[in-house]
Amino acid sequence: MRSFLGRDILGLKHWERMEYDHVFEVCDELAPIARRRRNSEMLKDKILVVAFYQPSTRTRLSTEAAMHRLGGHVVGFADAKMTRAGDFYQESIKDTVHMLEYYGDVIAMRHFQQGAPAEAAQWASVPVINCGDGWGEHPTQVLTDLYTIRNELGTLDGLHFLLVGDMRMRTMHSISYAMTQFDIEATYVAPPQMSLTPEFKTELQQMGLPFREADNVGDVISEADVIYMEPVVQADYTKAREEARGDRGRTPPQYQVTRKLLREKARRHAIVLHSLPRMDELLPDVDSTRHARYWIEAFNGVVLRMALLSLILGAME
Ligand code: CP
């Protein structure tokens, strides 16, 4: 297994099964720190730099919280408009990263351009964590999802995943790569203009993922152990910032999960995950059902990022 010490976390495409298992074992070791809400001193000599060029609630705050739980320090920006990268100068990633690498020991970056964290990693002498890059990947979210599924269902093998939403989204790319490393079958449901691209389908076939596509959640939900959702009505992830204007549209019923649908058709043990934020594809009446697991992801997201930071920075092996 490749060492995590000093490693960039840019995507899950090349991750192997053992690496997932190891990260989740470290999560189990560190979870009591987060559960007790008492910070440790494991990373007291380290600084995390957050460079978020796109809005975020969960990813940035949970990464920062993880660093604090490990006794580390945090500097950075949550809005590039307050830096030279977002003003008249439009400072390049190369020039920005050549500064940031001296301000801390690891950089957590979210960017609207696919590949921006990978470019940052080329220039940075410290590790870079991709916290979501355009339509690229979102590895820390999907590691959180998988850790949640493992905890809730006791395994990641022998499961059927139903993936609903816009298949261009970065979470859908990362989870698809991850599924190839487990005994998982997948069914994808997406509007035609948001479906898996032919190139990505070929890639998944070559990586050995058994999958099919369907038109309507209601036709296939009864087979699912995991219902993994993203919006089909959303902002363009490739843009720095876009204010929502006017009618943002409504999700067609064939891409929605409701309490009624779950009660009538879902397996009793099936769980629903959503990286959030949501639109009307996942209605609030699902929140109080036996199936909802998206709130526990807030806790698991901190634990997962504690595991990654401690491994990358050498506090855990
Ligand atoms: N899950 C996720 O990426 O949420 P944020 O955009 O709030 O970070």
Side-chain angles (χ1 to χ4, degrees):
M1 186 178 74
R2 293 176 294 173
S3 169
F4 281 95
L5 182 63
R7 182 163 146 190
D8 302 309
I9 307 293
L10 300 175
L12 299 181
K13 184 171 178 175
H14 302 294
W15 274 51
E16 293 171 0
R17 170 71 187 246
M18 283 172 68
E19 296 173 312
Y20 293 97
D21 290 340
H22 185 59
V23 168
F24 300 151
E25 282 162 16
V26 173
C27 286
D28 290 342
E29 279 190 60
L30 298 179
I33 298 171
R35 197 166 291 120
R36 284 197 302 269
R37 296 177 179 269
R38 297 282 295 273
N39 299 351
S40 74
E41 296 194 337
M42 292 173 65
L43 292 181
K44 67 180 167 54
D45 298 325
K46 300 293 183 187
I47 300 174
L48 164 72
V49 182
V50 290
F52 271 54
Y53 292 75
Q54 255 195 331
S56 165
T57 300
R58 284 147 284 270
T59 312
R60 182 174 66 83
L61 294 175
S62 62
T63 306
E64 292 188 7
M67 194 64 180
H68 286 297
R69 285 286 182 236
L70 295 169
H73 308 273
V74 180
V75 299
F77 58 87
D79 185 348
K81 283 204 174 88
M82 302 309 291
T83 75
R84 296 306 197 184
D87 78 348
F88 169 82
Y89 290 95
Q90 298 284 306
E91 194 166 23
S92 68
I93 287 176
K94 177 183 176 184
D95 288 6
T96 303
V97 164
H98 275 325
M99 300 295 113
L100 301 186
E101 65 182 337
Y102 292 105
Y103 303 157
D105 305 292
V106 56
I107 298 169
M109 176 181 279
R110 169 169 288 192
H111 206 286
F112 49 90
Q113 277 173 16
Q114 184 171 344
E119 186 190 341
Q122 282 180 358
W123 303 116
S125 57
V126 298
V128 174
I129 302 175
N130 177 5
C131 290
D133 62 325
W135 298 117
E137 283 212 48
H138 196 349
T140 66
Q141 173 63 47
V142 164
L143 288 167
T144 301
D145 299 328
L146 295 175
Y147 181 57
T148 302
I149 296 163
R150 166 192 177 269
N151 289 353
E152 297 296 320
L153 297 182
T155 181
L156 282 161
D157 292 307
L159 301 179
H160 192 122
F161 279 36
L162 169 60
L163 303 109
V164 188
D166 184 343
M167 298 309 154
R168 299 170 304 175
M169 287 189 73
R170 49 203 181 199
T171 48
M172 291 300 185
H173 296 149
S174 291
I175 198 153
S176 296
Y177 289 133
M179 287 189 295
T180 67
Q181 298 301 306
F182 299 89
D183 175 19
I184 291 173
E185 286 180 28
T187 301
Y188 292 92
V189 178
Q193 71 277 19
M194 298 179 183
S195 61
L196 297 169
T197 64
E199 298 76 25
F200 193 48
K201 277 198 264 194
T202 301
E203 200 177 357
L204 295 179
Q205 278 157 355
Q206 286 169 350
M207 292 176 82
L209 179 71
F211 71 90
R212 67 182 164 131
E213 294 172 280
D215 299 327
N216 191 325
V217 170
D219 294 340
V220 289
I221 197 167
S222 62
E223 299 167 37
D225 303 297
V226 175
I227 301 158
Y228 189 86
M229 302 195 65
E230 289 290 1
V232 297
V233 175
Q234 61 177 309
D236 185 342
Y237 267 42
T238 62
K239 293 188 178 149
R241 185 181 288 275
E242 192 175 54
E243 303 301 333
R245 289 195 191 89
D247 182 7
R248 287 186 287 182
R250 296 184 66 81
T251 301
Q254 66 265 39
Y255 311 116
Q256 273 184 326
V257 169
T258 62
R259 185 188 189 95
K260 182 169 180 291
L261 183 65
L262 287 165
R263 190 176 57 233
E264 290 175 358
K265 294 197 170 173
R267 303 173 85 174
R268 265 182 78 74
H269 69 261
I271 59 173
V272 178
L273 296 183
H274 193 305
S275 68
L276 304 172
R278 62 179 154 184
M279 297 290 286
D280 62 341
E281 69 284 353
L282 177 61
L283 297 177
D285 67 3
V286 175
D287 297 1
S288 56
T289 67
R290 61 185 300 118
H291 305 284
R293 292 296 189 284
Y294 28 94
W295 307 125
I296 190 64
E297 292 217 90
F299 175 78
N300 289 341
V302 175
V303 173
L304 183 281
R305 289 163 179 113
M306 287 169 69
L308 285 182
L309 288 166
S310 64
L311 284 163
I312 291 167
L313 294 172
M316 297 289 281
E317 278 189 7

